[in-house]
Amino acid sequence: METEKKYDTSKLSFCLAVLSISLFLTSYSVINGIIPQMRDALGVTEAQAELLSTTPSLTALITLILSPWLARFFGFKKVIGAGLLLVGVTAFVPMFVNSYGAVMVARVLFGMGLGLYNSLAITQVQLLFSGDRRATMLGIRGATENLGQAIMTALVSVLFAWAGWHGAFGVYLFALPVLVWFWIKVPDIKIAADGSSNIDDELKDQHFPSKTNPIMFVFCAFAALYMIIFNSVNVRFAAIAQETQGKDYDSSVIISVGILFAVAAGFVYGF
């Protein structure tokens, strides 16, 4: 495939545009702090309310599996753009309706939007950068996920205090300006059938192993176990905090502070 280079990877604006889409990848859980209030407002059980937080991570798996094929067919930019658009547009439903079913449908579509570009956010860093800069950008990209989660969790607390649980979902509307910025700054990536791309990123001068080291599957198993434990605690934390601190207690700020430690770890990676 013919390569082209119409971008400067050393520019801060370009790097930030590439990283910005990762701000929302773990944002499905930013509403955990207001789950008790949503439970009471919607008249559902604790388990049903918690599903509004956990369901997007499950539906994301559907489009996560399909996204590499979609990216090969339509190009990276269109698939990532569609994912960000879903993240932003689906915020309007819980902002204005009081139906648990409608909110759940919106959360299902929201999760599918995240899944559309979850893996592509990593792949595009691998394709657009090389060498030490790639390692650094991958680390910062991981930190950006946690940074976005921390900032958005704190914003949920502010929006909740100002406009209730409906208004808290307005935090996802930030995906729309991020989409515009990404669309303007980042070039499209197209992958040919032979695995080559239209991006001149020095990949042809680098070599990758043809097989995955078996130890990586062990690391994946430990990572999965960690995420199961972390998300289980994270989802139930708000309810526990409300029982001990009072019905109107908002635990979003405390949750966001805890996430900042993950941000620090991500920035260390690659340096």
Side-chain angles (χ1 to χ4, degrees):
M1 176 178 289
E2 183 180 354
T3 60
E4 57 181 347
K5 191 164 186 176
K6 299 179 180 179
Y7 57 92
D8 184 355
T9 60
S10 65
K11 285 187 176 181
L12 179 61
S13 60
F14 175 81
C15 294
L16 291 178
V18 171
L19 294 170
S20 64
I21 65 173
S22 294
L23 289 169
F24 304 92
L25 288 179
T26 54
S27 63
Y28 59 87
S29 63
V30 301
I31 63 168
N32 286 349
I34 60 170
I35 284 178
Q37 290 82 1
M38 293 174 61
R39 176 200 62 201
D40 297 339
L42 295 172
V44 296
T45 65
E46 185 73 32
Q48 288 175 314
E50 290 173 354
L51 281 174
L52 293 174
S53 173
T54 56
T55 296
S57 62
L58 297 177
T59 57
L61 291 175
I62 301 173
T63 46
L64 181 64
I65 295 172
L66 296 175
S67 63
W69 179 82
L70 292 172
R72 186 181 295 272
F73 190 78
F74 295 105
F76 275 50
K77 180 175 277 191
K78 290 185 178 66
V79 178
I80 293 174
L84 283 169
L85 186 63
L86 270 178
V87 170
V89 170
T90 53
F92 286 104
V93 176
M95 287 179 68
F96 297 105
V97 303
N98 289 300
S99 167
Y100 176 79
V103 174
M104 177 59 77
V105 170
R107 295 294 285 174
V108 167
L109 294 175
F110 166 78
M112 295 180 73
L114 292 179
L116 267 178
Y117 75 93
N118 193 310
S119 63
L120 301 183
I122 301 172
T123 305
Q124 74 165 357
V125 172
Q126 295 174 323
L127 292 174
L128 292 171
F129 301 90
S130 60
D132 291 339
R133 180 177 288 272
R134 174 191 288 146
T136 300
M137 285 293 292
L138 285 172
I140 296 177
R141 193 216 62 81
T144 302
E145 285 189 22
N146 295 308
L147 181 62
Q149 186 179 6
I151 293 173
M152 293 175 70
T153 301
L155 283 175
V156 163
S157 180
V158 174
L159 292 172
F160 171 74
W162 177 58
W165 72 268
H166 287 291
F169 279 88
V171 73
Y172 293 117
L173 296 179
F174 288 105
L176 299 178
V178 167
L179 166 59
V180 174
W181 189 25
F182 170 80
W183 198 269
I184 294 173
K185 289 289 185 180
V186 182
D188 194 11
I189 300 175
K190 297 183 183 296
I191 306 295
D194 61 358
S196 63
S197 75
N198 63 320
I199 298 297
D200 178 17
D201 62 346
E202 300 177 355
L203 278 181
K204 58 181 178 294
D205 298 327
Q206 303 189 41
H207 303 281
F208 301 92
S210 58
K211 294 183 179 180
T212 302
N213 191 321
I215 194 65
M216 293 302 298
F217 295 104
V218 177
F219 290 152
C220 288
F222 276 110
L225 180 61
Y226 164 77
M227 291 304 299
I228 291 172
I229 296 173
F230 175 80
N231 286 317
S232 297
V233 173
N234 203 18
V235 169
R236 188 52 61 90
F237 180 78
I240 296 173
Q242 189 185 64
E243 290 178 6
T244 57
Q245 301 297 321
K247 184 177 180 180
D248 296 324
Y249 186 76
D250 179 12
S251 59
S252 296
V253 174
I254 296 177
I255 294 174
S256 66
V257 170
I259 298 169
L260 290 176
F261 288 96
V263 175
F267 276 112
V268 170
Y269 179 86
F271 285 99

